[in-house]
Amino acid sequence: MADLLNVNINDFMAKIIAKNPGESEFHQAVQEVAESLLPYIEEHPKYKHAKILERISEPERIIIFRVPWVDDNGEIHINRGYRIEMNSAIGPFKGGLRFHPTVNLGILKFLAFEQVFKNSLTTLPMGGGKGGSDFDPKGKSDNEVMRFCQSFMTELQRHVGPDTDVPAGDIGVGGREIGYMFGQYKRIRNEFTGVLTGKGLEWGGSVIRPEATGYGAVYFAEEMLKTRNEEIKGKTAVVSGSGNVSQYATEKLIVLGAKVVTLSDSSGYVFDPDGIDREKLDFVFELKNIRRGRIKEYAEHYGVKYFEGQTPWNIPCDVAFPCATQNEINESDAKTLCRNGCTAVSEGANMPSTPEAVEVFIGSKILYGPGKAANAGGVAVSGLEMAQNSMRLPWFREEVDQRLKQIMVNIHETCVKYGSDGSDFVNYVKGANIGGFIKVADAMLAQGIV
Ligand code: NDP
Ligand code: 2IT
């Protein structure tokens, strides 16, 4: 059986690699899911005969387009825009837009692929998609960002819509960018609809959407800790990144009584042994969201250490929240975290751990919550924003937060259901992959060969 399985995964991956050359992040994401699913599919031949795994790994549609724009000095720039429409079996395509110079087809395909399983785990009716551009918002004026967003949406608008494909934010895309894109969509289509999520509260957005991914990752960690009769209170936490997800993970950790000792950006990390409190976090909000400065300034302001060009994984902690980007934790980082006593990792970012790091976490039997489960709170509240837009009725903060918490509890239960092997240990990777797969696969079976 093991041999047969090996042959299958190798054959399967050889075809994926041949068909999607050079897209290493996409290969990585597909391989992890295939490793979890192949044994399950062997036991459920209906999926095998219908070639669901092969079909689910092929995007329904990919759109690639030119995004020309003019900077403040009158110079013309040409970026590339993308939208990967991965799977619409259980609802309209749904997933964020990433604006970052490293964006390429393989990265967006990995993100879109992960999104399919994540969105299914939320139990809300959302298919999977992702998009973005190699545009770098850093150092650009508001007007330059606006002109870029307008040009991007001028093309994207013909492919998206509230019942077709509903983009949102991701790295480099927050409230400001969503506003500019929404304005352009409305202007071209003459429609005020829920075509994007993450909108401002005054114009169709949902309370708790900005907070949702970070809060959700902490709620997920709480659920994992409960299985070992532990809680967040009193834990020392290492958080990476200092953007949207990191900021709100930190906020919730502070409220629940943890001590957050690090934050980072792509230039380095800060270590604050006394912990980041409410007042210091407010400084970070202002630094990152208004002044758009570097995390180094935190170290200068509070007189703590800054480590240029390094990641925070060597700082001893009880719980870790990678909230920056893919493959930010390698094998050696994972070993260091485990050796230093870290017992739980809850991924706010998408695929922040390399396959070797994941193997270390699972081998060490720590509580390891993979991104597609742990960071699903963001898209879950996007789903709630879509529901509110359809009803044309906003919900209250308590209601949305309560629903978010319940969704994270349910995702955790799903992971336990499909990731337990009879012992005390829960393989959350296997649980999330199988738990996310079933609904999409059954919908694909029901809808025929499309
Ligand atoms: P932001 O743009 O708000 O923040 C990103 C943070 O990560 C910044 O601190 C940024 O530093 C850092 N970062 C980005 N790229 C790199 C890199 N290559 N190396 C090191 N650090 C990097 O994005 P979000 O907080 O929204 O997203 C963070 C992660 O969470 C991503 O993996 C995203 O896919 C995931 N995610 C986001 C959701 C959301 O709702 N926003 C939902 C679910 C997952 P710098 O400023 O220097 O670039
Ligand atoms: O990776 C993600 O789940 C997101 N960037 C959020 C997607 C969304 O549609 O809210």
Side-chain angles (χ1 to χ4, degrees):
M1 180 68 182
D3 271 358
L4 184 66
L5 227 55
N6 265 334
V7 172
N8 283 345
I9 186 90
N10 291 341
D11 285 355
F12 175 74
M13 283 313 301
K15 285 184 190 151
I16 291 284
I17 291 165
K19 206 167 191 178
N20 305 277
E23 299 175 359
S24 59
E25 291 87 358
F26 181 59
H27 306 158
Q28 183 183 334
V30 173
Q31 167 126 12
E32 185 214 89
V33 167
E35 279 172 2
S36 296
L37 286 180
L38 279 172
Y40 185 81
I41 289 174
E42 284 295 332
E43 288 165 19
H44 300 82
K46 61 180 177 178
Y47 300 127
K48 191 174 171 181
H49 296 143
K51 297 217 169 164
I52 296 293
L53 191 56
E54 289 84 344
R55 280 157 63 191
I56 218 170
S57 312
E58 181 70 16
E60 285 183 32
R61 183 180 300 112
I62 296 180
I63 300 139
I64 303 184
F65 50 98
R66 177 169 67 200
V67 190
W69 58 280
V70 182
D71 72 18
D72 291 344
N73 297 319
E75 190 181 335
I76 298 168
H77 297 263
I78 297 97
N79 284 100
R80 186 171 291 175
Y82 304 84
R83 187 70 185 166
I84 318 296
E85 297 187 333
M86 199 73 193
N87 194 300
S88 63
I90 63 168
F93 303 106
K94 180 83 196 86
L97 296 170
R98 177 176 291 192
F99 292 169
H100 195 272
T102 57
V103 159
N104 60 38
L105 186 58
I107 289 178
L108 294 180
K109 277 168 71 179
F110 116 64
L111 289 162
F113 181 75
E114 293 278 290
Q115 200 80 45
V116 173
F117 299 85
K118 185 196 303 191
N119 292 4
S120 165
L121 282 169
T122 67
T123 71
L124 301 174
M126 300 180 289
K130 199 87 187 188
S133 175
D134 56 0
F135 173 73
D136 186 359
K138 275 201 201 83
K140 305 289 191 299
S141 70
D142 283 352
N143 275 332
E144 288 173 330
V145 170
M146 181 181 73
R147 286 196 293 274
F148 173 81
C149 287
Q150 290 176 339
S151 181
F152 185 85
M153 187 49 92
T154 299
E155 173 59 31
L156 189 66
Q157 58 85 21
R158 71 185 86 244
H159 307 289
V160 297
D163 297 316
T164 309
D165 183 351
V166 183
D170 193 77
I171 292 177
V173 178
R176 175 182 62 169
E177 292 74 18
I178 294 291
Y180 294 148
M181 287 189 276
F182 183 79
Q184 186 73 348
Y185 181 88
K186 184 162 62 65
R187 186 179 179 203
I188 296 174
R189 301 282 286 253
N190 195 25
E191 281 172 7
F192 194 112
T193 60
V195 64
L196 293 158
T197 59
K199 300 183 292 297
L201 291 186
E202 306 81 5
W203 40 280
S206 174
V207 285
I208 306 282
R209 177 60 190 90
E211 296 90 333
T213 312
Y215 281 16
V218 177
Y219 294 151
F220 195 83
E222 264 191 312
E223 291 307 301
M224 291 199 295
L225 287 167
K226 270 190 207 159
T227 66
R228 296 194 180 168
N229 297 317
E230 290 192 47
E231 57 180 6
I232 292 281
K233 194 170 177 204
K235 296 271 187 295
T236 297
V238 158
V239 176
S240 68
S242 48
N244 171 266
V245 180
S246 318
Q247 290 167 14
Y248 287 105
T250 301
E251 180 171 278
K252 186 53 79 177
L253 284 165
I254 294 171
V255 168
L256 294 178
K259 182 160 94 166
V260 179
V261 292
T262 64
L263 282 174
S264 70
D265 59 24
S266 54
S267 308
Y269 78 91
V270 295
F271 173 45
D272 187 341
D274 295 335
I276 297 165
D277 59 17
R278 179 74 247 180
E279 184 247 309
K280 293 171 179 174
L281 182 61
D282 285 339
F283 175 87
V284 175
F285 274 102
E286 209 258 339
L287 170 69
K288 285 290 170 181
N289 306 344
I290 296 166
R291 286 196 285 124
R292 300 183 189 272
R294 310 303 298 156
I295 200 66
K296 186 182 182 180
E297 290 178 46
Y298 178 101
E300 286 157 2
H301 191 81
Y302 290 108
V304 300
K305 281 197 174 141
Y306 170 69
F307 298 85
E308 177 82 25
Q310 293 182 46
T311 52
W313 313 121
N314 62 334
I315 299 295
C317 65
D318 305 307
V319 288
F321 291 84
C323 298
T325 194
Q326 64 274 0
N327 293 327
E328 56 171 315
I329 300 183
N330 63 26
E331 182 178 15
S332 145
D333 299 326
K335 284 182 178 161
T336 306
L337 280 165
C338 293
R339 196 171 47 240
N340 285 341
C342 177
T343 56
V345 176
S346 187
E347 294 185 339
N350 285 305
M351 206 168 75
S353 307
T354 65
E356 296 77 21
V358 174
E359 221 175 295
V360 171
F361 293 144
I362 291 178
S364 308
K365 302 210 165 185
I366 67 161
L367 299 163
Y368 168 64
K372 63 169 79 70
N375 73 38
V379 75
V381 176
S382 278
L384 302 180
E385 183 172 329
M386 290 167 73
Q388 294 169 77
N389 290 167
S390 298
M391 296 168 78
R392 300 190 191 280
L393 272 181
W395 299 342
F396 296 112
R397 202 175 159 87
E398 293 69 30
E399 176 169 10
V400 178
D401 196 25
Q402 201 44 48
R403 281 179 187 265
L404 166 64
K405 198 175 270 179
Q406 192 56 51
I407 288 170
M408 298 315 294
V409 169
N410 294 346
I411 294 175
H412 182 268
E413 266 173 26
T414 302
C415 291
V416 172
K417 178 171 174 191
Y418 294 104
S420 301
D421 61 2
S423 75
D424 283 350
F425 178 66
V426 179
N427 182 334
Y428 289 91
V429 173
K430 182 177 158 200
N433 287 338
I434 297 176
F437 172 77
I438 294 171
K439 188 164 75 158
V440 180
D442 287 344
M444 289 172 76
L445 283 181
Q447 290 169 24
I449 303 169
V450 290

